[in-house]
Amino acid sequence: GDVDKAQEIYNQVADMQESGVAAKAMFNSARISIQQNDNALAKAYLQQLVDNCPNSEYALLAKNMLNVL
């Protein structure tokens, strides 16, 4: 449904690697994965965010979320 479509769009944006936009897209993809009870996928998105956009505001949020998951 709508959540799957949102995930697809976020993934397309994340692939652009434009730091600010990609970081937000990866963060939102992780949030959707958590809502769908897929913590493994959420961790993958969060780690990708930390690795690819370490200086973004979302990287700090991602690190915190990784510590909780």
Side-chain angles (χ1 to χ4, degrees), residues 7-61:
Q7 186 86 353
E8 180 183 329
I9 291 169
Y10 284 138
N11 289 338
Q12 291 171 358
V13 172
D15 287 342
M16 292 179 191
Q17 295 300 319
E18 189 176 310
S19 184
V21 176
K24 185 174 184 178
M26 285 183 269
F27 186 78
N28 284 327
S29 289
R31 289 179 55 210
I32 289 172
S33 297
I34 291 167
Q35 289 175 345
Q36 294 179 326
N37 296 316
D38 192 344
N39 286 352
L41 184 57
K43 287 179 185 179
Y45 282 124
L46 294 170
Q47 190 60 56
Q48 180 182 5
L49 166 53
V50 170
D51 292 344
N52 294 345
C53 308
N55 299 321
S56 76
E57 62 186 285
Y58 291 98
L60 179 59
L61 296 171

